Amino acid sequence: MERTGLNRKSILLFSLAALLFAAAYYPAFTTLARKWAASEDYTHAFFTVPIILYMLWMQRGALANGPGSTLLGLPLVVGAALLYLLSLQLQIPTVTFLATMLTIVGIIMYLSGIRVLRDLAIPVLLLFLLIPLPNQLLSMVTATLQLKVSQASEWVAHLFAIPLFREGNVLHLSDKTFQVVEACSGIRSLISLSTLSLILGYFTLFRWRSIVLLLLFSVPVAIFINIVRVVSLVLVYEWFAIDLSEGMAHTVSGLVLFLLGLGLLVFFQRILESWEAKKKRA
């Protein structure tokens, strides 16, 4: 009877904290939603948020019956709240979003203890991955990936004896020029596949080592499928005089290659799952 009362008290505290948090951080959520809607790199966020909420619902027992509150969470909540107010005044969205996520972590620590964060590590990490990268950092990473994908595509094209000349991220054929734009750099696939790898690992794997390996595997997969995409454009045009770089054909080819990347991710996940099963039997 006493435990039931404790559970109800914990649930009431979480509900009250959630309402106060939603009211105080409403400006951050609306700005974040606008950022997601405006960026094709983060459209997956609208699907990821319900999954995160479901993960938290699955862990409701750990939240309600945690080892107890810890005062370590209180300084984090206060510090994050002050950072949030300052970032609103200075209009620095990235800091605002970061302060919002840190406040969530602080509230969980304060109400349920630090050890509960171990069970909520994946949902919390997914929350931080939903913070859009600052424009300067995003541009720098995108430019680097554009160059690397261009260099790799040039090398593969030469293996097929395609007369191709590369100038930065621009690929020149005899009568056609292809530019490796931001959409083909791999940054969008990298953000999406890394998020999917964590979700897939959370629901199917049990060892942290396996989840980390799956996350790391998503990085080369994202780069690989974009190299395949660029090389495919070059080969199809050179061999069949069909331009797949524009219109519906470009969109469909991008979707097909993303599904290929997802398939590779699932294939590696099955390998890790089989490895975990063998370890468990042993």
Side-chain angles (χ1 to χ4, degrees), residues 176-197:
K176 179 69 177 177
T177 296
F178 292 100
Q179 183 177 7
V180 181
V181 295
E182 292 182 3
C184 295
S185 67
I187 186 66
R188 188 177 305 167
S189 302
L190 180 58
I191 294 172
S192 300
L193 288 176
S194 60
T195 300
L196 284 171
S197 69

Side-chain angles (χ1 to χ4, degrees), residues 93-158:
T94 302
V95 179
T96 301
F97 304 147
L98 181 61
T100 302
M101 303 309 176
L102 288 175
T103 305
I104 295 174
V105 173
I107 290 173
I108 293 173
M109 287 174 57
Y110 180 67
L111 294 179
S112 296
I114 296 177
R115 279 188 292 175
V116 173
L117 286 177
R118 182 184 60 184
D119 299 323
L120 301 176
I122 299 298
V124 168
L125 182 55
L126 286 171
L127 279 176
F128 281 96
L129 285 178
L130 292 181
I131 300 176
L133 293 173
N135 292 332
Q136 297 86 346
L137 179 59
L138 183 62
S139 298
M140 183 177 66
V141 174
T142 301
T144 302
L145 287 174
Q146 282 176 285
L147 183 60
K148 296 300 181 183
V149 169
S150 301
Q151 291 172 339
S153 300
E154 177 192 25
W155 181 77
V156 175
H158 286 164

Side-chain angles (χ1 to χ4, degrees), residues 10-235:
S10 300
I11 293 172
L12 182 62
L13 283 173
F14 271 109
S15 301
L16 180 60
L19 288 174
L20 292 174
F21 176 77
Y25 287 79
Y26 177 77
F29 293 133
T30 54
T31 304
L32 190 57
R34 285 197 296 268
K35 288 274 189 181
W36 291 341
S39 173
E40 293 184 355
D41 296 334
Y42 287 92
T43 50
H44 66 277
F46 293 102
F47 302 97
T48 306
V49 169
I51 295 174
I52 294 174
L53 293 176
Y54 177 67
M55 290 177 175
L56 294 176
W57 174 255
M58 290 178 63
Q59 296 293 338
R60 62 189 183 279
L63 288 168
N65 302 316
S69 63
T70 173
L71 292 179
L72 291 176
L74 189 58
L76 180 57
V77 172
V78 173
L82 292 175
L83 182 62
Y84 170 73
L85 294 174
L86 179 62
S87 64
L88 284 180
Q89 292 296 320
L90 297 177
Q91 296 184 350
I92 309 176
T94 302
V95 179
T96 301
F97 304 147
L98 181 61
T100 302
M101 303 309 176
L102 288 175
T103 305
I104 295 174
V105 173
I107 290 173
I108 293 173
M109 287 174 57
Y110 180 67
L111 294 179
S112 296
I114 296 177
R115 279 188 292 175
V116 173
L117 286 177
R118 182 184 60 184
D119 299 323
L120 301 176
I122 299 298
V124 168
L125 182 55
L126 286 171
L127 279 176
F128 281 96
L129 285 178
L130 292 181
I131 300 176
L133 293 173
N135 292 332
Q136 297 86 346
L137 179 59
L138 183 62
S139 298
M140 183 177 66
V141 174
T142 301
T144 302
L145 287 174
Q146 282 176 285
L147 183 60
K148 296 300 181 183
V149 169
S150 301
Q151 291 172 339
S153 300
E154 177 192 25
W155 181 77
V156 175
H158 286 164
L159 292 179
F160 287 93
I162 302 297
L164 181 145
F165 170 71
R166 182 181 61 83
E167 191 175 14
N169 65 324
V170 180
L171 306 176
H172 298 280
L173 293 173
S174 57
D175 60 340
K176 179 69 177 177
T177 296
F178 292 100
Q179 183 177 7
V180 181
V181 295
E182 292 182 3
C184 295
S185 67
I187 186 66
R188 188 177 305 167
S189 302
L190 180 58
I191 294 172
S192 300
L193 288 176
S194 60
T195 300
L196 284 171
S197 69
L198 287 173
I199 294 173
L200 188 62
Y202 180 84
F203 287 110
T204 62
L205 302 173
F206 300 97
R207 294 172 179 265
W208 269 106
R209 183 184 304 174
S210 301
I211 296 175
V212 171
L213 286 174
L214 188 61
L215 175 62
L216 293 176
F217 183 71
S218 68
V219 177
V221 167
I223 297 172
F224 169 74
I225 62 174
N226 280 276
I227 293 172
V228 172
R229 185 179 189 180
V230 175
V231 172
S232 299
L233 295 177
V234 172
L235 294 181

Side-chain angles (χ1 to χ4, degrees), residues 217-257:
F217 183 71
S218 68
V219 177
V221 167
I223 297 172
F224 169 74
I225 62 174
N226 280 276
I227 293 172
V228 172
R229 185 179 189 180
V230 175
V231 172
S232 299
L233 295 177
V234 172
L235 294 181
V236 169
Y237 183 82
E238 184 68 18
W239 290 344
F240 306 105
I242 299 175
D243 189 357
L244 299 179
S245 63
E246 297 178 353
M248 182 60 69
H250 187 66
T251 303
V252 172
S253 63
L255 178 59
V256 169
L257 287 170

